[in-house]
Amino acid sequence: MTSEDPSATALPASTSLANRYGGQKRRLGRKGMRNLVIAALLLGIGFMAWIATTSATAPVTFKDIGFHATDATQIEVDFQVAKFPGATAKCAVKALDSKFAVVGWKVVEIGPNEPKDGADGGRTTIHRLALRTESEAVSGVVDNCWIVASGH
């Protein structure tokens, strides 16, 4: 009689591969595929809504146009502001001396403006601000602009 070791029995090749690499992957059923498509659509719709709302409430942008020192105690700063025509913005304008020290500072309110025909629909307006200085200014720039809530 031959004595065989029960642990030494050979397993079929398909069983041994399944033990080593795992079983066959299950395919996604109809219900799972449908749920995946619905989730992707909802994610896409949510992303588009986010894009639409952030572009509708786009922040204010500004650009320095120039400046003119009228004398040692005053400078005029020219700048443009682009914002939604119905919004109110505030801009901080500063005057600098030759060492880039701030010698004048003012926050100016840019109120709502009338929408107009044109390339940007009246979003861009041009402003001139006379700014008093502590000493002679050699430059005038807009430091920052922001949208303020209505009623403030």
Side-chain angles (χ1 to χ4, degrees):
M1 282 186 71
T2 9
S3 67
E4 280 188 33
D5 184 10
S7 63
T9 59
L11 294 173
S14 62
T15 306
S16 109
L17 289 176
N19 287 338
R20 180 179 286 179
Y21 299 111
Q24 288 184 338
K25 302 281 190 241
R26 284 187 8 187
R27 292 190 46 155
L28 198 55
R30 288 188 108 174
K31 191 174 184 180
M33 183 61 82
R34 183 187 55 159
N35 289 341
L36 185 64
V37 168
I38 289 172
L41 284 173
L42 289 175
L43 188 63
I45 290 169
F47 179 72
M48 294 303 283
W50 177 73
I51 292 293
T53 57
T54 56
S55 65
T57 59
V60 62
T61 60
F62 58 91
K63 181 179 178 183
D64 296 319
I65 296 175
F67 62 91
H68 172 71
T70 55
D71 61 31
T73 62
Q74 186 171 332
I75 190 170
E76 291 180 342
V77 181
D78 297 324
F79 59 98
Q80 72 182 24
V81 175
K83 62 176 180 55
F84 181 71
T88 299
K90 287 192 176 184
C91 294
V93 182
K94 63 183 179 180
L96 305 172
D97 68 6
S98 60
K99 296 179 182 174
F100 301 105
V102 177
V103 293
W105 179 275
K106 187 172 186 178
V107 175
V108 62
E109 186 170 297
I110 312 294
N113 50 300
E114 291 296 320
K116 298 178 184 165
D117 293 336
D120 70 350
R123 291 177 49 88
T124 303
T125 54
I126 297 175
H127 306 274
R128 173 171 285 168
L129 175 67
L131 187 59
R132 292 208 172 274
T133 61
E134 296 174 359
S135 60
E136 188 172 7
V138 298
S139 178
V141 296
V142 177
D143 185 61
N144 197 7
C145 289
W146 59 95
I147 299 292
V148 293
S150 55
H152 290 112

